[in-house]
Amino acid sequence: MELQKTPLNDCFVLKPNVFRDERGLFYETYNQKVFEKTTGLNVDFVQDNQSVSSKGVLRGLHFQRGEMAQAKLVRVVKGKVLDIIVDIRKDSATFGKSFSVVLDDVEHLQLFVPRGFAHGFITLSEQSIFSYKCDNYYDKASESGIIYNDATLALDWHLPSEEFIISEKDLELPNFGEAVSHYPSNS
Ligand SMILES: Cc1cn([C@H]2C[C@H](O)[C@@H](COP(=O)(O)OP(=O)(O)O[C@H]3O[C@H](C)C(=O)[C@H](O)[C@H]3O)O2)c(=O)[nH]c1=O
């Protein structure tokens, strides 16, 4: 497994060893010993999630506040997505900065998103199957997020906005300033 640093502190892309042969391919989607050796981190993932989305579905940007903040290790099982994260740790040198990466079922890249980041993705292929590990449990009461078209962040989602499919819940998310004003700086 190869680690690729990103411009955001503590966040990185992982490129797994993919074994291809005439049958298809095999790779270890997660190996705790390899993850710890490659990243130097000891993360206790406790919950695996999976979502299926059609083209244009934009999920996010989401995070859980305070003690229920989640680190995530995200990947695409099928299809192609543009994954975007925003550093909302007020004491971080990259506070307010965003990073985007294409995750797909060809390169099989994974993205490690530490606690203290807002996360979202848009599906670029006809369908995506998105799978990710979390180091904290889902807690509805702690859920928050940032509206996808926040003017401060000015995120590029790579598709025309007319193609976006966004939940009512996500259309009501606060802007960046409001979202981080309620976010403790120590997460
Ligand atoms: C996240 C989650 C949701 N749910 C239930 C709650 C809803 O009834 C239903 C759909 O939830 P939601 O619309 O929040 O799903 P997403 O929009 O994919 O949310 C996720 O999208 C972005 C990209 C993330 O990074 C987060 O992990 C997560 O917020 O699943 C659960 O039961 N457990 C969970 O962990």
Side-chain angles (χ1 to χ4, degrees), residues 48-115:
D48 281 4
N49 294 337
Q50 179 165 301
S51 59
V52 180
S53 306
S54 47
K55 184 172 183 177
V57 169
L58 193 164
R59 296 175 184 260
L61 297 146
H62 299 158
F63 60 88
Q64 291 191 171
R65 291 188 303 271
E67 292 299 310
M68 298 311 291
Q70 295 170 308
K72 297 165 189 168
L73 179 60
V74 308
R75 67 187 178 94
V76 163
V77 176
K78 175 189 170 192
K80 181 177 181 179
V81 310
L82 177 75
D83 200 285
I84 299 187
I85 57 174
V86 177
D87 189 348
I88 56 175
R89 301 168 301 181
K90 289 178 187 160
D91 54 355
S92 165
T94 51
F95 172 70
K97 301 290 184 207
S98 63
F99 170 73
S100 63
V101 60
V102 171
L103 304 176
D104 66 19
D105 58 11
V106 176
E107 295 298 321
H108 302 286
L109 296 181
Q110 301 182 359
L111 178 65
F112 177 72
V113 186
R115 293 185 180 193

Side-chain angles (χ1 to χ4, degrees), residues 47 49 59 62 72 119 121 132 138 143 169:
Q47 180 176 320
N49 294 337
R59 296 175 184 260
H62 299 158
K72 297 165 189 168
H119 173 247
F121 70 92
Y132 53 108
Y138 172 63
E143 277 195 303
K169 184 182 82 164

